[in-house]
Structures are given as structure tokens and as C-alpha cells.
Amino acid sequence: MSTRTRTADTARTADTVPEIEISGLHKSFGDNHVLRGIDLEIGTGEVVCVIGPSGSGKSTLLRCVNLLEEPTGGRVVVGGTELTDPDVDIDAVRRRIGMVFQQFNLFPHLTVTENLTLPQRRVLRRDKAEAARVAAENLQRVGLAEKADAYPSSLSGGQQQRVAIARALAMGPSVMLFDEPTSALDPELVGDVLAVMRMLADEGMTMMVVTHEMTFAREVADRVVFMDGGVVVEDGTPGQVIGSPAHERTRHFLSRLLDPAMAEVEEGRGGPGPG
């Protein structure tokens, strides 16, 4: 699978039609104001990686995009349909949005193929033969055609996550959301999952990825968004945000992420924390 390197010259940010539009987004859990007025657009076919320290609001932002979390205020528009409109058919809009979580959420008592066909048949009303065909196509896409009859317990964590991606793809989404898709994996299993995500990026899938994988963000993202304290601190190309960040908060986060040994020394001296 090929990789693509995004630079300021090649990033597709200028002339793309917004597939995701977020404006004035707020989210509170009781007295905890997690998102504080997020404004963000993602163009059709863009790959945007969202980075930031734990507790910065990254995952909450992602979950607000398909209303797994109900925003406290603001608007979310996907594919021209406002999800925050009280009269929206949210189930219809969600069919356009695939989501991959940290955990794989596969049904342990079903085979890989059955895990892919069940949501197709229940949500999209596809017949058994059509659902099986689509399942086989997407297992082939993620390199797991030979695991069609296997059960999740016989698969590695990386294989289970690729099955979860195939399951999302089988629904025919126009947008894919990834919430730290490699954080639960052993390091040696991360590469295969990231390779599938690179493939989707090369195919032009619109992707919003919450991640700590800086190499992936550098090589695959069109834009990188750094969040802290529930706000967007920086938004730009990987070269700008990761290579030459403008804000001290971003520089501090990246220095700790890219040089953990230095972070440990800093903590030992009573230096500031990441968030």
C-alpha cells in the first residue's frame, strides 16, 4: 500500500467542498466545559488529524460529529445536512458516517463475515447475498479475506481493528471518523492498521482522525489540528503544526510526545504537565 507525503504545496485545503462543518460548538458535562466554541471545516476528501493532550476534548469533538454526544451549543453539518437540527433524521445521516473506536466492539459469538453482514442487513436492509458480497469486498480491502470465517477471539488486536474498519466501510460511508484507532494495540500491530488508513486516504475518503501517531499525521494528513483546553490552538499543514508550531502550548505538547525521556526529566524537576 502506498503512502503519501503532504506538504504545504500538496495539501488539499484551498478548493475542497466542506464535508464536515463545525461552528461555535460547545459541550459541557455538568460544570465541566469540555468544548469551548470549536470552529472547524473539513473538505471532501481531506484527511485531518486531531492531536492534543488527554482531556483536551479531542474524542468529545469526534463524538459530537455524529451526535454520539449531544452538543450543548453550536452547529454540526455533515454532507450539507445539519445534525444539530432538532428535526433531522439522525439515523439517515449516520449511515454516511463510519466510526472506528479504540476498542474493536466486535460480536465475539459471530464470525468476521457475520460481524460485517449484520449491520448491513439490519440498517441498510440488504439481502443476505448482497451483504455477504460487500463484506467479502471490504475484507479484501483491509487484507483479511482469509479470515472471513474466523471468530474475533482467534484474531490479533490489529486484525480485529482492521475488521472493525471493514465493518464501517461495508456501510458505504462518505466520512470516516477514527478515535485513537491504534491506542489499544501492541506496537508491532500498529503498522497494518495505519497502512489500511493510508489506503483509504489515497482513495479519497474524507477522514477525521484523533491520534497520537505523529508519523501518520506527518505523512498522511492534509491538515493537523492541535487542541488544548477545549479549543483549537493551531490548525495547519503537518509541516506547520508539527514541524514548526507557532504556539508554546503546541511546542510543549510535541516535545513531551516526541521526547518522553525529556518529559520524565522535566517532571522530576517539577516542570509543567502536558495539559
Side-chain angles (χ1 to χ4, degrees):
M1 297 178 186
S2 63
T3 62
R4 61 181 193 171
T5 301
R6 290 299 180 196
T7 67
D9 294 329
T10 60
R12 299 169 299 166
T13 58
D15 299 319
T16 52
V17 176
E19 183 70 26
I20 300 173
E21 301 173 76
I22 301 166
S23 56
L25 190 67
H26 289 261
K27 176 62 182 178
S28 295
F29 297 95
D31 294 331
N32 185 14
H33 198 172
V34 178
L35 299 179
R36 299 172 177 268
I38 301 292
D39 295 309
L40 184 65
E41 289 189 355
I42 298 176
T44 300
E46 267 198 298
V47 178
V48 174
C49 285
V50 183
I51 64 174
S54 177
S56 61
K58 309 182 302 294
S59 292
T60 299
L61 172 61
L62 202 70
R63 292 171 67 87
C64 283
V65 171
N66 64 357
L67 256 61
L68 289 178
E69 295 290 353
E70 188 79 29
T72 306
R75 298 172 71 248
V76 177
V77 179
V78 177
T81 300
E82 183 184 346
L83 277 70
T84 42
D85 183 336
D87 297 323
V88 72
D89 183 349
I90 186 61
D91 291 333
V93 179
R94 280 182 179 148
R95 291 171 195 152
R96 301 187 52 181
I97 306 172
M99 186 154 184
V100 178
F101 301 89
Q102 297 178 34
Q103 302 300 325
F104 323 124
N105 298 326
L106 301 177
F107 292 110
H109 63 290
L110 300 180
T111 67
V112 165
T113 293
E114 289 167 342
N115 267 280
L116 268 67
T117 56
L118 181 64
Q120 294 183 65
R121 298 184 68 187
R122 288 192 174 178
V123 177
L124 302 181
R125 303 299 182 187
R126 287 177 179 157
D127 62 36
K128 185 175 182 180
E130 175 68 3
R133 183 189 65 77
V134 173
E137 286 180 355
N138 283 287
L139 287 174
Q140 182 71 41
R141 289 175 77 188
V142 303
L144 290 174
E146 77 283 1
K147 299 295 185 181
D149 297 323
Y151 286 88
S153 61
S154 69
L155 306 179
S156 70
Q159 289 172 331
Q160 290 186 61
Q161 190 62 293
R162 283 189 282 158
V163 170
I165 294 172
R167 178 180 57 188
L169 293 173
M171 304 297 285
S174 59
V175 172
M176 286 286 287
L177 309 177
F178 294 86
D179 187 6
E180 293 279 12
T182 62
S183 65
L185 303 179
D186 292 333
E188 66 270 20
L189 302 178
V190 168
D192 288 341
V193 173
L194 294 181
V196 169
M197 295 171 66
R198 285 188 178 96
M199 174 197 71
L200 295 178
D202 288 341
E203 292 177 354
M205 177 66 74
T206 304
M207 297 165 61
M208 186 174 178
V209 185
V210 171
T211 185
H212 61 275
E213 299 286 349
M214 291 301 103
T215 299
F216 176 85
R218 282 182 185 272
E219 294 180 353
V220 181
D222 295 295
R223 285 163 47 216
V224 174
V225 172
F226 172 68
M227 289 183 62
D228 194 15
V231 300
V232 172
V233 178
E234 293 201 49
D235 179 353
T237 67
Q240 291 167 342
V241 177
I242 300 176
S244 184
H247 294 264
E248 176 58 31
R249 291 159 78 183
T250 315
R251 291 194 291 270
H252 183 68
F253 167 76
L254 290 170
S255 68
R256 293 173 62 84
L257 185 66
L258 300 174
D259 190 357
M262 183 60 67
E264 291 179 6
V265 170
E266 189 178 78
E267 287 179 354
R269 293 175 178 169

